[in-house]
Amino acid sequence: MILLVSPKDVNEAIETIKGGADIVDVKNPPEGSLGANFPWIIKEIREITPKNLFVSAAIGDVPYKPGTVALAALGAAMSGADYIKVGLYGTKSYNEAVDLMEKVVKAVKGVDENKIVVAAGYADAHRVGAVEPLIVPKIARDAGCDVAMLDTAVKDGKTLFDHLNEKILAEFVEETHSYGLKCALAGSIKKEEIPILKDINCDIVGVRGAACTKGDRNNGTIKSELVKELSKLCK
Amino acid sequence: MILLVSPKDVNEAIETIKGGADIVDVKNPPEGSLGANFPWIIKEIREITPKNLFVSAAIGDVPYKPGTVALAALGAAMSGADYIKVGLYGTKSYNEAVDLMEKVVKAVKGVDENKIVVAAGYADAHRVGAVEPLIVPKIARDAGCDVAMLDTAVKDGKTLFDHLNEKILAEFVEETHSYGLKCALAGSIKKEEIPILKDINCDIVGVRGAACTKGDRNNGTIKSELVKELSKLCK
Amino acid sequence: MILLVSPKDVNEAIETIKGGADIVDVKNPPEGSLGANFPWIIKEIREITPKNLFVSAAIGDVPYKPGTVALAALGAAMSGADYIKVGLYGTKSYNEAVDLMEKVVKAVKGVDENKIVVAAGYADAHRVGAVEPLIVPKIARDAGCDVAMLDTAVKDGKTLFDHLNEKILAEFVEETHSYGLKCALAGSIKKEEIPILKDINCDIVGVRGAACTKGDRNNGTIKSELVKELSKLCK
Amino acid sequence: MILLVSPKDVNEAIETIKGGADIVDVKNPPEGSLGANFPWIIKEIREITPKNLFVSAAIGDVPYKPGTVALAALGAAMSGADYIKVGLYGTKSYNEAVDLMEKVVKAVKGVDENKIVVAAGYADAHRVGAVEPLIVPKIARDAGCDVAMLDTAVKDGKTLFDHLNEKILAEFVEETHSYGLKCALAGSIKKEEIPILKDINCDIVGVRGAACTKGDRNNGTIKSELVKELSKLCK
Amino acid sequence: MILLVSPKDVNEAIETIKGGADIVDVKNPPEGSLGANFPWIIKEIREITPKNLFVSAAIGDVPYKPGTVALAALGAAMSGADYIKVGLYGTKSYNEAVDLMEKVVKAVKGVDENKIVVAAGYADAHRVGAVEPLIVPKIARDAGCDVAMLDTAVKDGKTLFDHLNEKILAEFVEETHSYGLKCALAGSIKKEEIPILKDINCDIVGVRGAACTKGDRNNGTIKSELVKELSKLCK
Amino acid sequence: MILLVSPKDVNEAIETIKGGADIVDVKNPPEGSLGANFPWIIKEIREITPKNLFVSAAIGDVPYKPGTVALAALGAAMSGADYIKVGLYGTKSYNEAVDLMEKVVKAVKGVDENKIVVAAGYADAHRVGAVEPLIVPKIARDAGCDVAMLDTAVKDGKTLFDHLNEKILAEFVEETHSYGLKCALAGSIKKEEIPILKDINCDIVGVRGAACTKGDRNNGTIKSELVKELSKLCK
């Protein structure tokens, strides 16, 4: 299982890299759970990140606007992101989500076949009217994405496991693998929960709070030792 | 006054160019009044358009998500658009609109100083909860945009002049000019209304229906002779 | 594949029976797509239906109120229904739907182990905010139901196939079978579409319009010859 | 005046009975002010309650779905409830409420003429869009119910008397009696308020908090001595 | 029974007076069912109306803003209206409606004890979330008004009788009289329905369409002969 | 710059007058930021206020109902108010606001040419869907008002300056003056901010909290010494 960490600035990004994370994730929390950061920030993070590590960029808790979102996905790819993560927020059904993700895939792969497109659903989608998380693997498969991901939409202390139980998550991973795709799981994941994700064969785990001092995503800051610990747990 | 025409496909784009339009406008009406088209469409239109003409691209009736929108603006610029038009749809106040447009300007000018950024408001903003059109000049000025534009949000047959009277529109142009910016006006503009816009010193007029057979934006198609006629009226 | 037909009154029920339908379905369209009929109506239909045929009763496009719905399910069972169909309308997630259906199963099976409980989702759930249809097989499995069903929520002429394509429906049937459950499909199904449903191994097809004169669910009436034709297609 | 007490479990039900309550009320607060409990709970409470006492069952803060609600009413009756209480929550007018209650009456009386049907309105109906409480007597009369009741919809510490003054409540009781019906009043009633209700000739008073330790409906528990005290006040 | 007619302009007012109406009613339909007209219009109508006839003025489908509404009531009284009609639109409960009407009564009677205050409810209140019409007599009584009135909120062809049956309306009149108040009924009343209103002892009937050519409130115009006919039916 | 102070009762009004305020402002905070007070209160305040001082009266956070609002404006004028302040709350566009204010001006000036009409916008209009504050000068000009004013709609501690920066406010004043109108600014203005308002040439500053003990608009009370201090700062 590889480790994705979401720093909030360059200093945290440096700690993330020193700690041995596999993917440095760029997002913009004030703009939503999968809020997009600005092109110059993605570029800056890409520049300080070693070539052998990946940079991922969230492009937003996006509305059902395939044109705008495809342009944003291209913008993120041109800014240097290796993984393009799309939060399926305003899409309300399988059809809408496949339509949107197909356009994103075409926009991104059109400039670089090797870029990785991530379809990200929300474990608590029913709280915001977003598309059902359990069908994200089918959406990712049918739109030509590389990764099916889950995160939480509302950051109120509830974690991925509060919304979906372990058995259902294991099925999620298994179904994703059966389609030849990778699976990423996030959502206020705690250190103690990492072994569970490893057990169910998750490919990528996403964290922020667990890598922060006091385990606090808002008031803590990412430290390389904490990242190192998490990284070890993933191996 | 220069003429911007919005074709819906490559054939119409060719007619638009043959007719002598100054700006070939790419948008995606099913996605909204200023709906964004896909990167490959913008690229294709740019390729068939002579170097001395401009291509403009709408990037959406955008939500108040500066990160996502800045990425989309960059995506449109990288796809070849000379004018980047942003529909101030989900921004509800002067502050939100300035915040969003500042990020767009930085993203676009960061790759090419010569790209032109257009802040577009809606004359019927109150019908959709968008920011007041009459403050678009101040928004454009304070965010560093090049053009202040008005269009209509709801395409129900009502035109720009149904929502804002001539005196108010003249003030709009005058205020925009006083800030050293250009002014674009659109919104189901009819052939007969073009002289009025010229009279009030509008810099760019945007049309579609008026360049279509039967003056019908939906069921008609753009013809070069009609474009030519409009173009003559603008001179 | 067996045939479920939804008559609107006793006369139509008699035609349904004469026509050779396998299940006589009682619902109350003015109260919703899966609107509940009254206890005395269910009882009356059960009384005129031969013992070897089944009577199914919809208990509503139900809200997320497990107590009220469990009582209604019991009421329908005590009124003589063999199949208890629950429209997962107000439940917005896997967890809510499983919680509700578990209580229905306990209420119904508590009085008669042989009663059949049907978890019914809506193919156009995103139009009404109901739980995603593609996860109904998992809901049915995890709550102990016997049948996973799909119908449409809004009767506006769009059919099951307008909302979910054949490939996705085939997966739906296959997944349901993999859990040892039966699968029922409905939603303005036309005569010509019955062979498709048979092809994908659907167990039960539900119709009304297709059994009516002029194929019109509202202004037509069910005729035994039409039912006979459909019945033949199902064999 | 007779006393209705709402225990939350079997232990509290035993205290309620020992304390001399006249009616043991079964409801399910997490499902709403008049939330329905499950058939097996109603049955269990009926089994431990002496024959000479009554069991009442709320069947929900119900939507305007006469079919579903009539089935639920029947379910509650078949589970052993003597009083069937219906919370007029989703009905928004006299006509809707009469329509719904007529069906409930027919469903319940159809199995046992002696069952008692209670039309329950909310004193704070305007906070939730429910039917006006002051017309509940007319609704009960015109639908053939036995009892007109008032409770509060939102349990935020406000009581029946905070929403309707004593003079208006006295008129409510008087009007109900003039139709030959009984009247029940509830809604965070305090011990000190019981004599007022007796004074205005209320027939049934409903309580929970007042029978709990510390007068706390949530954190306290029902004790037989407290019930005894209230019971004495009602005589 | 006396006759109130609602002309839309001075010409119609003259026909209304010639036809023998008892009350000339001033309202402003584009502003709502009981929309307020401007002070100068009320004044003008009062000036052309003979001293022995009354002028009534609606002051709006009012929000629950007692201060604003009391000022408007005063404004209408100072403009010459004899009857001040208040549409209980934004008030959602007995308490809110009594609070608002008390302030109106104090404002109006403070300048002239003889002015008549009318509390007007809507027979179809549930369609717009207004206070229940059947409690208007109690509201009028408890706030010190002179008349309890009913009209319809939505002018879609449905009449007073479509929302409330004759028996319920008769009770409404009777209850109003029992409080020593007068009763006014309106709402697309047809000529043929006037005898019914007389039968149930209604004091004032309000019409517009029935006094118009073709019985059409929108496209027809009031004619004195038609008013005369209605007036005769009221005697 | 002259000083407007908003007392909540007669005692505070006396302190306001003793403290040397120029305008005694009557409003009714429970009814909204610019909530209207009752005619008898306006009259009472006018009676105790010296002839050489002005009384202003808010007539509400008004809906877009020109008829009702024109009547209320007349009511306030007839009750003795010299300034009639209208909160442009329910008007959503330039056109609606001009329409409403024109009617208010006609109603007020029709009884007394010297009455002063104030068009008041909200600096935080986007939080409540009211018309954009920055176009209030144009609205005031085009409707014939005397004063363009800004206040805040939501009293949550945020001040005028939190919603609009000093540069924008200076432009607001300047634009208003260019139309020959006066400008009033309010919105939880603190003592320290008064010199800023003076600097930008504001004509009237409105306060309450700053004139109260502890600077607390809710729990403090207006004291003449505090008013005196503010008054001095305005000179």
Side-chain angles (χ1 to χ4, degrees):
Chain A
M1 190 165 66
I2 67 175
L3 179 66
L4 174 153
V5 179
S6 305
K8 72 178 171 205
D9 54 31
V10 172
N11 284 341
E12 284 195 353
I14 292 168
E15 293 287 316
T16 295
I17 294 163
K18 270 175 45 187
D22 304 287
I23 304 176
V24 183
D25 183 50
V26 188
K27 57 186 179 184
N28 182 16
E31 204 161 311
S33 165
L34 287 162
N37 218 318
F38 303 104
W40 52 93
I41 303 291
I42 299 172
K43 209 173 152 218
E44 187 182 10
I45 299 286
R46 180 61 276 184
E47 280 162 4
I48 64 162
T49 303
K51 287 259 164 70
N52 62 319
L53 298 189
F54 293 109
V55 167
S56 68
I59 64 164
D61 288 335
V62 307
Y64 178 38
K65 299 261 180 185
T68 299
V69 178
L71 288 174
L74 175 61
M78 301 299 266
S79 301
D82 306 293
Y83 282 72
I84 312 295
K85 293 192 304 175
V86 184
L88 297 166
Y89 195 92
T91 52
K92 303 201 170 311
S93 66
Y94 165 82
N95 290 330
E96 289 183 0
V98 169
D99 176 24
L100 181 118
M101 290 309 306
E102 274 178 349
K103 300 311 188 298
V104 167
V105 168
K106 183 167 179 185
V108 170
K109 305 277 183 180
V111 294
D112 183 346
E113 277 282 341
N114 295 318
K115 299 283 184 188
I116 290 167
V117 177
V118 182
Y122 303 92
D124 54 345
H126 66 288
R127 299 204 285 181
V128 298
V131 74
E132 169 60 40
L134 298 183
I135 67 164
V136 171
K138 281 193 177 62
I139 293 164
R141 176 194 67 185
D142 295 342
C145 305
D146 305 289
V147 179
M149 181 172 187
L150 291 183
D151 201 333
T152 49
V154 185
K155 301 298 183 193
D156 62 350
K158 291 204 174 154
T159 81
L160 179 64
F161 291 94
D162 289 323
H163 299 296
L164 295 172
N165 64 43
E166 193 183 326
K167 182 189 144 224
I168 283 290
L169 288 171
E171 284 192 354
F172 183 94
V173 176
E174 198 188 340
E175 185 183 353
T176 302
H177 287 167
S178 78
Y179 301 147
L181 309 177
K182 297 293 181 192
C183 182
L185 294 173
S188 304
I189 300 292
K190 290 176 205 141
K191 203 169 104 177
E192 311 81 69
E193 294 168 335
I194 289 183
I196 306 176
L197 295 180
K198 222 176 122 189
D199 267 12
I200 61 173
N201 295 315
C202 172
D203 302 292
I204 304 169
V205 55
V207 299
R208 167 164 176 82
C212 283
T213 48
K214 294 179 210 157
D216 183 337
R217 64 179 294 122
N218 299 312
N219 303 314
T221 51
I222 292 177
K223 290 295 170 201
S224 61
E225 314 86 79
L226 296 168
V227 174
K228 214 165 284 179
E229 248 184 285
L230 298 173
S231 180
K232 214 174 290 173
L233 282 168
C234 293
K235 302 262 155 68
Chain B
M1 189 165 65
I2 68 176
L3 179 66
L4 173 152
V5 179
S6 305
K8 72 179 170 203
D9 54 30
V10 172
N11 284 341
E12 284 196 351
I14 292 167
E15 293 287 315
T16 296
I17 294 162
K18 269 174 47 186
D22 304 286
I23 304 177
V24 184
D25 184 48
V26 189
K27 57 186 178 183
N28 183 17
E31 205 161 309
S33 165
L34 287 162
N37 218 317
F38 303 105
W40 51 94
I41 304 291
I42 298 172
K43 211 173 150 218
E44 189 183 7
I45 300 286
R46 180 62 276 185
E47 279 162 6
I48 65 163
T49 303
K51 287 260 164 68
N52 62 319
L53 298 189
F54 293 109
V55 168
S56 67
I59 63 164
D61 287 336
V62 307
Y64 178 38
K65 300 259 179 186
T68 298
V69 178
L71 288 173
L74 175 61
M78 301 299 265
S79 302
D82 305 295
Y83 282 72
I84 312 295
K85 294 194 302 176
V86 184
L88 297 166
Y89 195 91
T91 50
K92 302 200 170 311
S93 66
Y94 166 81
N95 289 330
E96 288 183 2
V98 169
D99 176 24
L100 182 118
M101 289 309 304
E102 274 178 348
K103 301 312 188 299
V104 167
V105 168
K106 183 167 178 185
V108 169
K109 305 277 185 180
V111 295
D112 184 346
E113 277 281 341
N114 295 319
K115 298 283 184 189
I116 290 168
V117 178
V118 182
Y122 303 92
D124 54 346
H126 67 289
R127 299 204 286 180
V128 297
V131 73
E132 168 60 40
L134 298 183
I135 65 165
V136 171
K138 280 192 178 64
I139 293 165
R141 174 193 69 183
D142 294 341
C145 304
D146 305 289
V147 179
M149 180 173 189
L150 290 183
D151 200 332
T152 50
V154 185
K155 301 297 183 196
D156 62 349
K158 291 203 174 157
T159 81
L160 179 65
F161 291 94
D162 289 321
H163 300 296
L164 295 171
N165 63 43
E166 192 182 327
K167 182 189 144 226
I168 283 289
L169 287 171
E171 283 192 355
F172 182 93
V173 176
E174 196 188 342
E175 184 183 353
T176 302
H177 287 167
S178 78
Y179 303 147
L181 309 177
K182 297 291 182 194
C183 182
L185 294 174
S188 305
I189 300 292
K190 290 177 207 140
K191 204 170 105 177
E192 310 83 71
E193 294 168 334
I194 288 182
I196 307 175
L197 295 180
K198 222 176 123 189
D199 268 12
I200 61 172
N201 295 315
C202 173
D203 303 291
I204 305 168
V205 56
V207 299
R208 170 167 174 79
C212 284
T213 48
K214 294 177 209 157
D216 184 335
R217 61 179 295 122
N218 299 310
N219 303 314
T221 52
I222 292 177
K223 291 292 171 205
S224 61
E225 316 84 82
L226 297 169
V227 174
K228 215 165 283 178
E229 248 185 286
L230 297 173
S231 179
K232 213 174 292 172
L233 283 168
C234 293
K235 302 263 154 67
Chain C
M1 189 164 66
I2 66 176
L3 179 65
L4 173 152
V5 179
S6 305
K8 72 177 171 206
D9 54 31
V10 172
N11 283 342
E12 284 195 352
I14 291 168
E15 292 288 315
T16 296
I17 294 163
K18 270 175 45 187
D22 304 287
I23 305 177
V24 184
D25 183 49
V26 188
K27 56 185 179 183
N28 182 18
E31 204 161 310
S33 164
L34 287 162
N37 219 317
F38 303 104
W40 51 94
I41 303 291
I42 299 172
K43 212 174 149 217
E44 188 183 8
I45 299 287
R46 181 61 276 184
E47 278 163 6
I48 64 162
T49 303
K51 287 260 163 68
N52 61 319
L53 298 188
F54 294 109
V55 168
S56 67
I59 64 164
D61 287 336
V62 306
Y64 178 38
K65 299 260 179 186
T68 299
V69 178
L71 288 173
L74 175 61
M78 301 299 266
S79 301
D82 305 295
Y83 282 71
I84 312 295
K85 292 194 303 176
V86 184
L88 297 166
Y89 195 93
T91 51
K92 301 200 172 312
S93 66
Y94 165 81
N95 289 330
E96 288 183 2
V98 169
D99 176 24
L100 182 117
M101 290 308 305
E102 274 178 349
K103 301 311 188 299
V104 166
V105 168
K106 183 167 178 184
V108 169
K109 304 279 183 180
V111 295
D112 184 345
E113 277 282 341
N114 295 319
K115 299 284 185 189
I116 289 168
V117 177
V118 182
Y122 304 92
D124 54 345
H126 66 289
R127 299 205 284 181
V128 297
V131 74
E132 167 60 39
L134 298 182
I135 66 164
V136 170
K138 281 192 178 64
I139 293 164
R141 175 193 69 183
D142 295 341
C145 304
D146 305 289
V147 179
M149 181 172 187
L150 290 183
D151 201 333
T152 49
V154 184
K155 300 298 182 193
D156 62 351
K158 291 203 174 155
T159 81
L160 179 64
F161 290 94
D162 289 322
H163 299 296
L164 294 172
N165 63 43
E166 192 182 327
K167 181 188 145 226
I168 282 289
L169 287 171
E171 283 193 354
F172 183 94
V173 176
E174 197 187 342
E175 184 182 354
T176 303
H177 288 167
S178 79
Y179 302 149
L181 309 177
K182 297 291 181 194
C183 182
L185 294 173
S188 305
I189 301 292
K190 291 176 207 142
K191 203 170 104 177
E192 310 83 71
E193 294 168 334
I194 288 183
I196 306 176
L197 295 180
K198 223 176 121 189
D199 267 12
I200 61 171
N201 295 315
C202 173
D203 303 291
I204 306 169
V205 56
V207 300
R208 171 166 173 79
C212 283
T213 48
K214 295 179 210 157
D216 184 337
R217 62 178 294 123
N218 299 311
N219 303 315
T221 51
I222 292 177
K223 290 293 170 205
S224 61
E225 315 85 81
L226 296 168
V227 175
K228 215 165 284 178
E229 248 184 287
L230 298 173
S231 179
K232 214 175 292 171
L233 282 169
C234 292
K235 301 264 155 68
Chain D
M1 190 165 67
I2 69 175
L3 178 66
L4 173 153
V5 179
S6 304
K8 73 177 170 203
D9 55 29
V10 172
N11 284 342
E12 283 196 353
I14 292 168
E15 293 288 316
T16 296
I17 294 163
K18 270 174 48 186
D22 303 287
I23 304 177
V24 183
D25 183 49
V26 188
K27 57 185 177 183
N28 182 17
E31 205 162 308
S33 165
L34 286 162
N37 218 319
F38 303 105
W40 51 94
I41 304 289
I42 299 172
K43 211 174 150 219
E44 187 183 8
I45 299 286
R46 181 61 275 182
E47 279 163 5
I48 65 163
T49 302
K51 288 259 163 72
N52 62 319
L53 299 188
F54 293 111
V55 167
S56 67
I59 65 164
D61 287 337
V62 306
Y64 177 38
K65 299 261 178 185
T68 299
V69 178
L71 288 174
L74 175 61
M78 300 300 266
S79 302
D82 305 295
Y83 282 72
I84 313 295
K85 293 193 303 177
V86 184
L88 297 165
Y89 195 93
T91 51
K92 302 202 171 308
S93 67
Y94 165 81
N95 289 331
E96 289 183 1
V98 169
D99 176 24
L100 181 118
M101 290 309 304
E102 274 178 350
K103 301 311 188 300
V104 166
V105 168
K106 183 167 176 182
V108 169
K109 306 277 184 180
V111 294
D112 184 347
E113 278 282 340
N114 296 318
K115 299 284 183 188
I116 290 166
V117 177
V118 182
Y122 303 92
D124 53 347
H126 66 288
R127 299 204 285 181
V128 297
V131 74
E132 168 60 40
L134 299 182
I135 66 164
V136 172
K138 281 193 177 63
I139 293 165
R141 175 193 69 183
D142 294 341
C145 304
D146 306 288
V147 179
M149 181 171 186
L150 291 183
D151 201 333
T152 49
V154 185
K155 300 298 183 194
D156 62 350
K158 292 202 174 158
T159 82
L160 178 65
F161 291 94
D162 289 321
H163 299 297
L164 295 171
N165 64 43
E166 192 182 329
K167 181 189 146 225
I168 282 289
L169 287 171
E171 283 192 355
F172 183 93
V173 176
E174 198 187 341
E175 183 182 354
T176 303
H177 287 168
S178 78
Y179 301 149
L181 309 176
K182 297 293 181 191
C183 183
L185 293 174
S188 305
I189 300 292
K190 291 177 206 142
K191 204 169 104 177
E192 311 82 70
E193 294 168 335
I194 289 183
I196 307 175
L197 296 180
K198 224 176 121 188
D199 267 14
I200 62 173
N201 294 314
C202 172
D203 303 291
I204 304 169
V205 56
V207 299
R208 168 165 177 80
C212 284
T213 48
K214 294 177 209 157
D216 183 338
R217 63 179 293 122
N218 299 311
N219 302 314
T221 51
I222 293 177
K223 290 294 170 203
S224 61
E225 316 85 80
L226 297 168
V227 175
K228 215 164 284 178
E229 248 184 286
L230 298 173
S231 178
K232 214 173 293 173
L233 282 168
C234 293
K235 301 264 152 66
Chain E
M1 188 165 67
I2 68 175
L3 179 66
L4 173 152
V5 179
S6 305
K8 72 178 170 204
D9 54 31
V10 172
N11 284 342
E12 285 196 353
I14 292 167
E15 292 289 315
T16 295
I17 294 162
K18 270 175 44 188
D22 304 286
I23 304 177
V24 183
D25 184 48
V26 188
K27 57 185 177 184
N28 182 17
E31 204 161 310
S33 165
L34 287 162
N37 219 317
F38 303 104
W40 52 94
I41 304 292
I42 299 171
K43 211 173 150 220
E44 188 184 9
I45 299 287
R46 181 61 277 184
E47 279 162 5
I48 65 162
T49 303
K51 287 261 163 66
N52 62 319
L53 298 188
F54 293 110
V55 167
S56 68
I59 63 163
D61 288 335
V62 306
Y64 177 38
K65 299 260 179 185
T68 299
V69 178
L71 288 173
L74 174 61
M78 301 300 266
S79 301
D82 305 295
Y83 281 72
I84 313 295
K85 292 194 303 176
V86 184
L88 296 166
Y89 196 91
T91 52
K92 302 201 170 309
S93 66
Y94 165 82
N95 289 329
E96 288 182 3
V98 169
D99 176 25
L100 182 118
M101 290 309 306
E102 274 178 349
K103 301 311 187 300
V104 167
V105 168
K106 183 167 178 183
V108 170
K109 305 278 184 181
V111 295
D112 184 344
E113 277 282 340
N114 295 320
K115 299 284 184 188
I116 289 167
V117 177
V118 182
Y122 303 92
D124 54 346
H126 66 289
R127 299 205 285 181
V128 297
V131 75
E132 167 61 40
L134 298 182
I135 66 164
V136 171
K138 282 192 176 64
I139 293 164
R141 174 195 67 184
D142 294 341
C145 304
D146 305 289
V147 179
M149 180 172 189
L150 290 183
D151 201 332
T152 48
V154 185
K155 300 297 183 195
D156 62 350
K158 291 204 173 155
T159 80
L160 178 66
F161 291 94
D162 289 321
H163 299 297
L164 294 172
N165 63 44
E166 193 182 326
K167 183 191 143 223
I168 283 289
L169 287 171
E171 283 191 356
F172 183 94
V173 177
E174 197 188 343
E175 184 183 352
T176 302
H177 288 167
S178 78
Y179 302 148
L181 310 177
K182 296 292 181 194
C183 183
L185 294 173
S188 304
I189 300 291
K190 291 176 206 141
K191 203 170 103 176
E192 311 82 69
E193 294 169 334
I194 289 182
I196 306 176
L197 295 180
K198 222 176 123 188
D199 267 12
I200 61 172
N201 296 314
C202 172
D203 303 291
I204 305 168
V205 56
V207 300
R208 167 163 177 81
C212 283
T213 48
K214 296 178 209 157
D216 184 336
R217 63 178 293 121
N218 298 311
N219 303 314
T221 51
I222 293 177
K223 290 293 170 206
S224 61
E225 317 84 83
L226 297 168
V227 175
K228 215 166 284 178
E229 248 184 285
L230 297 173
S231 178
K232 213 175 293 172
L233 282 168
C234 293
K235 300 268 154 63
Chain F
M1 190 165 64
I2 67 176
L3 178 67
L4 172 152
V5 179
S6 305
K8 71 178 171 204
D9 55 30
V10 172
N11 284 341
E12 285 196 351
I14 293 168
E15 293 287 316
T16 295
I17 295 162
K18 270 174 45 186
D22 304 286
I23 305 177
V24 183
D25 183 50
V26 188
K27 58 185 178 184
N28 183 16
E31 206 162 309
S33 165
L34 287 162
N37 218 318
F38 303 104
W40 51 94
I41 304 290
I42 298 171
K43 209 172 152 220
E44 188 183 9
I45 299 287
R46 180 62 277 183
E47 280 162 5
I48 64 164
T49 303
K51 286 260 163 70
N52 61 320
L53 299 188
F54 293 109
V55 167
S56 68
I59 64 164
D61 287 336
V62 307
Y64 178 38
K65 299 260 178 186
T68 299
V69 178
L71 288 174
L74 174 61
M78 301 299 265
S79 302
D82 305 294
Y83 281 72
I84 312 295
K85 293 193 303 177
V86 184
L88 297 166
Y89 195 93
T91 51
K92 302 201 171 310
S93 66
Y94 165 82
N95 290 330
E96 289 182 2
V98 170
D99 176 25
L100 181 118
M101 290 310 305
E102 274 178 349
K103 301 310 186 301
V104 166
V105 168
K106 183 167 177 183
V108 169
K109 305 278 183 180
V111 295
D112 183 346
E113 277 281 341
N114 296 318
K115 299 283 184 189
I116 290 168
V117 177
V118 182
Y122 302 92
D124 54 346
H126 67 288
R127 300 205 285 181
V128 298
V131 74
E132 168 60 39
L134 298 182
I135 66 165
V136 172
K138 282 194 176 62
I139 293 165
R141 174 194 68 184
D142 294 342
C145 304
D146 306 288
V147 180
M149 180 171 187
L150 290 183
D151 200 333
T152 50
V154 184
K155 300 297 183 193
D156 62 351
K158 291 203 174 157
T159 81
L160 178 64
F161 291 94
D162 289 322
H163 299 297
L164 294 171
N165 63 44
E166 193 181 326
K167 180 189 146 227
I168 284 289
L169 288 170
E171 284 192 354
F172 183 95
V173 176
E174 197 187 342
E175 184 182 353
T176 302
H177 287 166
S178 78
Y179 301 148
L181 309 177
K182 297 293 181 191
C183 183
L185 294 173
S188 304
I189 301 291
K190 291 177 206 140
K191 203 169 104 176
E192 309 83 70
E193 295 168 334
I194 289 183
I196 307 176
L197 295 180
K198 223 175 124 188
D199 267 12
I200 62 173
N201 294 316
C202 172
D203 303 291
I204 305 169
V205 54
V207 299
R208 168 164 175 79
C212 284
T213 49
K214 296 177 208 158
D216 183 338
R217 63 180 290 121
N218 299 311
N219 303 314
T221 51
I222 292 176
K223 290 294 169 203
S224 61
E225 315 86 80
L226 296 168
V227 175
K228 214 165 284 178
E229 248 183 286
L230 298 173
S231 179
K232 213 175 292 173
L233 282 169
C234 293
K235 301 261 154 68

